[in-house]
Amino acid sequence: MRKVIVMTAILALTACGQESNDKIQPAKVASESTTVQVPVAHWALEITQGQRATITDTTGRLIEHGFNNFISERDGVKHFLIGPYATEAQALEAQEQIKLKPKLEGIETNVVELPAAK
């Protein structure tokens, strides 16, 4: 009986050592890579002109409902944008979500492509 217990313990310890070495090798390989590709956001929703609410009121309502917004200046003109989004499909989905929320009624948007970063 003792021999069986000792053999089982030896096998268990051997197997444990094997697994830990297998886990260490992939970790070393993963730490060697230095290139990381981050998705770039190229799309946003532009709030159209003619809004009756102030920017602070609109910003507060958007933040309340989980929509990030920012002001971008292009060619000397300030644009009030929601986003940014990685794909046009994500921007269109956010535009639909805004239309469905009663407290965001009156906020009209257009999907716009953001200029590439220089």
Side-chain angles (χ1 to χ4, degrees):
M1 184 73 169
R2 273 190 183 166
K3 288 182 181 179
V4 173
I5 293 173
V6 170
M7 292 294 279
T8 306
I10 290 172
L11 288 173
L13 290 174
T14 303
C16 288
Q18 196 92 6
E19 288 177 17
S20 64
N21 285 338
D22 292 343
K23 290 178 184 175
I24 292 172
Q25 293 302 331
K28 287 180 183 175
V29 172
S31 67
E32 292 173 6
S33 26
T34 56
T35 305
V36 177
Q37 288 189 336
V38 178
V40 179
H42 292 287
W43 299 90
L45 298 175
E46 181 175 19
I47 296 181
T48 58
Q49 293 180 358
Q51 294 295 314
R52 294 181 183 176
T54 64
I55 289 178
T56 54
D57 178 47
T58 304
T59 299
R61 289 176 21 206
L62 288 167
I63 290 172
E64 246 177 56
H65 288 62
F67 293 98
N68 294 326
N69 53 74
F70 61 100
I71 296 174
S72 174
E73 188 171 339
R74 285 179 279 165
D75 301 325
V77 178
K78 292 184 180 182
H79 300 272
F80 189 31
L81 303 170
I82 301 169
Y85 301 99
T87 64
E88 184 178 14
Q90 289 176 341
L92 288 168
E93 183 180 330
Q95 187 179 37
E96 288 302 314
Q97 289 177 357
I98 289 172
K99 288 178 184 177
L100 295 174
K101 301 217 183 255
K103 288 195 175 185
L104 297 178
E105 188 178 322
I107 297 176
E108 295 182 21
T109 60
N110 292 326
V111 176
V112 294
E113 187 172 8
L114 298 173
K118 294 180 182 180

